[in-house]
Amino acid sequence: MALYDTLFSQLDVTSSQHLVTDSDFRNDSFREQLSETVKSLLALKVIPVFNENDAVSTRRAPYEDSSGIFWDNDSLAGLLAMEVKADLLVLLSDVEGLYSGPPSDPNSKPIHTYIKEKHQAEITFGDKSRLGRGGMTAKVDAAVCAASSGIPVVITSGYATDNIIKLLQGKPVGTLFHKDAHLWTSVNEVDAREMAVAARECSRRLQAMSSEDRRKLLLDVADALEANESLIMAENEADVAAAKADGYEKALISRLALKPGKIAALAKSIRVLADMEEPIGHIVKRTDFADGLILEKTSCPLCVLLIVFESRPDAFVQIASLAIRTGNGLLLKGGKEARRSNAILHKIITSAIPDNVGDKLIGLVASREDIPDLLKLDDVIDLVIPRGSNSLVSQINNSTKIPVLGHADRVCHVYVDKSANPDMAKKIVRDAKIDYPAACNTMETLLLHQDLSNNDLLKELLAELRREGVTLYGGPRASSLLNLPRAQSLHCEYSSHACTVEFVDDVGAAIDHIHQHGISHTDCIVTEDREVAEMFLHRVDSAAVFHNANTRFCDGARFGLGAEVGVSTSRVHARGPVGVEGLLTTRWILRGSGQVVDGDKGVTYSHKDLPLQTQI
């Protein structure tokens, strides 16, 4: 109790101890007083802490005798929760909840919702707790009893930071017990691990196909999309209508909508992808290693990809086609706003996959509650690619040991130098902002050389943007000189008809500004000064850097990659638009005829490069 007093006092909260025994609960008047006492104490912000009064307990062997109304802290907690009609009972353990096997076994799966009819016979428990009576068996018994009386119960870890706060926020932490749990779970429900393992097995079968068969599979997917265009568009229109009714932002609705001709364009890009050089088994390097040993470095699939994306159903098609082309299994979780579009696209694409590969090659993750489970599967899933908001990417980065590829914010710059061709500058700036304002490669900040502050080009640039309905905000210098509303930040992602304008002293200052406020995505300079251009191109540390060209060119299809799963701003594995090559890794193949190392005795390492041969 001294410890409770000390901890709660740090939060300016008072605690009180209440000692009870079995016999107390046999007294009806005590039970009535108990509920009133707890309510009164909580109203006074006093935390009541209950313990068994061991000094006067009538049980002969309280640590062994299981008779009575309660026999450990867990059953006492369940009893108290029922007496006071609690909204929620949280039982803290040294593990994150229940598992299908020993928590230390990497193959054990967390159980998010306990279903008595299913799990009671499947789960066994080890020894009782080292820290007191009962252990997990006692917690489950108490949880089942309380839940059957209408009190929701969660068993979760007491060691994990903020677990109770996460529970109160509705996050899926630990194992939930509820009287209606048996009504929530479909008999055919597939859990996260099963879905990932199935995708891996299908991936291996896909890799075993010939290059021509994989090519034909892509062509079948393209044909299936075109054949079902009206059905896809109908489902997409329903998603768009629902998003508008729910008050979603215009930028999201713009990304959600499949415009006329989009399905044909997607089918065309898939056919381009199908006709590209075979990516699997490509020999990157071939070496005469030593004494008849031939060493080959070859391309191979990563195996299982998890893509979490928001809004854009066209991304579903691009990602799925890239996965097929590279022999990877795929798990896709789209935003709820595109639920109908993604469901029909998944059905159409998987229907084109032959039985000898299996339609589980591409798994559609139904609920966001499945994402935490998937992010724990670092032994099955090889790469996570989030496509969406900064908060989505940050959350995934902080929640998994699986490598994550992608970008968070999307703040791209166009810098107009003092030597810029006026007509070229106007054309590039306008297109970089207007062509598709919701895209990640659109211009969000227009940087201008200070010499343009009293220049006709400046007036024409701003007038052109305003004619297109762009709302202009100013940085510290531009807001004062041009009488513009002050931008909330120089690191601002609008994804709409809005733009930040700021002046810089010269190209060096522009580079410094981009490094300080950019995200290393795509940045552009407009200038006729070749020396200034080369300085910008070589010093700006972004995934894509352009001279006299719109930032919107940073795109997998436009780069000739066939499609893209996203644009990576990381510096590991892949950078910029991620297409076929970004979804492959390499492995080493050594061909010999019985050679052994034997301490390198008599072995001569030649390391002579040999001509490449493509293996299919």
Side-chain angles (χ1 to χ4, degrees):
M1 279 308 300
L3 179 59
Y4 281 124
D5 285 339
T6 301
L7 293 174
F8 281 121
S9 66
Q10 294 179 20
L11 303 173
D12 292 327
V13 174
T14 303
S15 61
S16 60
Q17 179 172 214
H18 303 265
L19 299 175
V20 294
T21 66
D22 264 5
S23 59
D24 291 331
F25 286 92
R26 293 188 172 92
N27 186 319
D28 291 340
S29 62
F30 167 81
R31 294 168 69 170
E32 291 177 10
Q33 293 171 10
L34 172 70
S35 183
E36 292 301 319
T37 299
V38 170
K39 291 177 182 176
S40 298
L41 289 169
L42 292 176
L44 294 169
K45 295 188 177 180
V46 176
I47 303 296
V49 180
F50 285 84
N51 274 299
E52 182 180 15
N53 191 344
D54 296 334
V56 298
S57 176
T58 58
R59 276 188 280 170
R60 291 188 300 274
Y63 285 88
E64 299 173 6
D65 183 7
S66 62
S67 64
I69 295 175
F70 69 87
W71 50 92
D72 51 46
N73 282 337
D74 298 314
S75 56
L76 174 58
L79 178 61
L80 290 167
M82 289 186 283
E83 287 294 334
V84 301
K85 296 179 174 58
D87 296 316
L88 175 68
L89 170 61
V90 181
L91 298 175
L92 298 178
S93 177
D94 57 351
V95 292
E96 292 186 12
L98 298 188
Y99 288 79
S100 60
S104 57
D105 185 344
N107 293 319
S108 295
K109 299 173 289 186
I111 298 170
H112 282 303
T113 304
Y114 182 88
I115 302 169
K116 185 177 180 181
E117 296 79 1
K118 176 182 179 182
H119 295 120
Q120 189 171 32
E122 292 181 1
I123 303 174
T124 58
F125 304 103
D127 297 334
K128 70 182 185 69
S129 172
R130 301 183 301 276
L131 307 177
R133 293 182 244 170
M136 188 58 79
T137 302
K139 294 186 192 305
V140 171
D141 288 343
V144 169
C145 182
S148 64
S149 298
I151 310 297
V153 184
V154 175
I155 298 177
T156 189
S157 172
Y159 292 100
T161 305
D162 294 336
N163 256 10
I164 293 178
I165 292 175
K166 291 176 181 176
L167 280 173
L168 296 178
Q169 293 171 340
K171 295 180 180 177
V173 177
T175 301
L176 171 67
F177 294 72
H178 194 282
K179 66 183 180 68
D180 296 329
H182 64 287
L183 303 175
W184 300 343
T185 306
S186 167
V187 174
N188 298 320
E189 183 181 80
V190 178
D191 69 14
R193 176 170 285 276
E194 289 172 354
M195 185 182 292
V197 169
R200 170 156 287 192
E201 291 303 315
C202 292
S203 164
R204 288 169 177 160
R205 292 197 287 270
L206 177 63
Q207 294 172 43
M209 293 176 71
S210 69
S211 176
E212 181 56 34
D213 285 343
R214 283 194 297 272
R215 177 179 177 276
K216 182 179 182 302
L217 171 52
L218 279 173
L219 297 177
D220 289 344
V221 168
D223 292 343
L225 289 172
E226 287 184 328
N228 291 277
E229 180 176 3
S230 59
L231 184 57
I232 296 169
M233 296 304 291
E235 293 297 289
N236 182 247
E237 287 166 8
D239 278 335
V240 171
K244 289 179 178 177
D246 291 339
Y248 280 98
E249 295 179 355
K250 289 183 179 179
L252 182 143
I253 294 173
S254 175
R255 292 193 295 269
L256 174 61
L258 291 172
K259 310 247 179 339
K262 188 64 177 179
I263 299 302
L266 288 169
K268 180 180 178 181
S269 69
I270 293 173
R271 294 185 179 108
V272 169
L273 195 61
D275 289 335
M276 291 175 64
E277 181 184 4
E278 170 60 46
I280 304 174
H282 178 72
I283 300 177
V284 180
K285 184 177 177 61
R286 193 163 180 265
T287 306
D288 185 337
F289 184 58
D291 298 333
L293 287 169
I294 305 300
L295 181 65
E296 295 173 346
K297 184 179 182 181
T298 66
S299 62
C300 65
L302 290 166
C303 209
V304 179
L305 314 173
L306 169 60
I307 317 292
V308 183
F309 64 104
E310 296 174 343
S311 307
R312 292 180 52 185
D314 59 324
F316 189 114
V317 178
Q318 293 183 44
I319 295 164
S321 57
L322 279 169
I324 293 171
R325 191 69 181 101
T326 54
N328 285 296
L330 182 62
L331 305 177
L332 279 163
K333 173 63 182 79
K336 63 180 180 181
E337 67 280 356
R339 179 177 59 84
R340 296 177 182 85
S341 304
N342 291 336
I344 190 63
L345 288 170
H346 178 256
K347 182 178 180 180
I348 291 167
I349 291 173
T350 54
S351 67
I353 298 174
D355 293 339
N356 63 329
V357 173
D359 59 6
K360 291 183 174 61
L361 176 73
I362 301 173
L364 182 60
V365 182
S367 170
R368 64 183 299 177
E369 280 72 34
D370 293 325
I371 297 300
D373 285 348
L374 290 165
L375 293 176
K376 294 176 183 176
L377 301 179
D378 55 295
D379 61 323
V380 186
I381 297 174
D382 301 286
L383 183 68
V384 181
I385 304 178
R387 292 184 61 169
S389 65
N390 183 28
S391 59
L392 170 72
V393 178
S394 298
Q395 181 183 357
I396 288 177
N397 264 315
N398 296 330
S399 304
T400 187
K401 294 188 289 185
I402 305 170
V404 177
L405 188 71
H407 66 273
D409 297 339
R410 35 191 126 182
V411 184
C412 299
H413 298 76
V414 173
Y415 166 59
V416 180
D417 190 52
K418 64 181 180 180
S419 67
N421 178 292
D423 291 336
M424 181 188 295
K426 285 187 289 184
K427 187 165 61 173
I428 289 174
V429 167
R430 179 191 175 279
D431 199 49
K433 183 70 255 183
I434 299 303
D435 184 63
Y436 189 8
C440 66
N441 53 15
T442 193
M443 178 187 73
E444 300 289 24
T445 299
L446 172 61
L447 296 177
L448 301 162
H449 192 286
Q450 63 177 357
D451 289 1
L452 299 178
S453 59
N454 292 312
N455 188 292
D456 288 341
L457 173 57
L458 170 65
K459 297 175 184 177
E460 293 170 7
L461 282 172
L462 301 187
E464 183 73 20
L465 290 172
R466 285 186 173 119
R467 271 195 298 273
E468 296 292 345
V470 177
T471 301
L472 301 177
Y473 298 94
R477 295 170 67 174
S479 60
S480 175
L481 288 169
L482 303 175
N483 194 28
L484 295 174
R486 185 74 173 263
Q488 292 182 352
S489 167
L490 291 174
H491 180 95
C492 196
E493 176 189 345
Y494 298 102
S495 298
S496 63
H497 283 73
C499 179
T500 298
V501 180
E502 182 58 321
F503 290 106
V504 290
D505 292 340
D506 52 24
V507 65
I511 293 168
D512 291 341
H513 180 104
I514 290 169
H515 288 165
Q516 183 176 355
H517 303 291
I519 59 154
S520 301
H521 190 298
T522 305
D523 299 289
C524 156
I525 183 173
V526 184
T527 183
E528 294 301 298
D529 188 321
R530 183 69 60 180
E531 185 177 341
V532 167
E534 291 302 313
M535 180 179 176
F536 187 92
L537 293 173
H538 290 95
R539 282 182 51 189
V540 171
D541 186 20
S542 295
V545 190
F546 298 164
H547 173 213
N548 289 347
N550 183 0
T551 55
R552 290 275 293 123
F553 281 113
C554 185
D555 174 82
R558 295 187 177 103
F559 276 17
L561 306 181
E564 69 176 40
V565 295
V567 176
S568 170
T569 56
S570 67
R571 289 163 174 79
V572 178
H573 174 60
R575 200 172 185 205
V578 180
V580 169
E581 290 184 4
L583 301 183
L584 298 170
T585 184
T586 57
R587 59 178 176 169
W588 297 94
I589 295 175
L590 184 63
R591 305 177 190 277
S593 54
Q595 292 89 339
V596 295
V597 173
D598 192 24
D600 286 335
K601 296 173 186 174
V603 179
T604 301
Y605 293 99
S606 53
H607 296 146
K608 180 182 177 182
D609 288 343
L610 296 174
L612 300 182
Q613 297 176 359
T614 300
Q615 175 188 333
I616 298 178

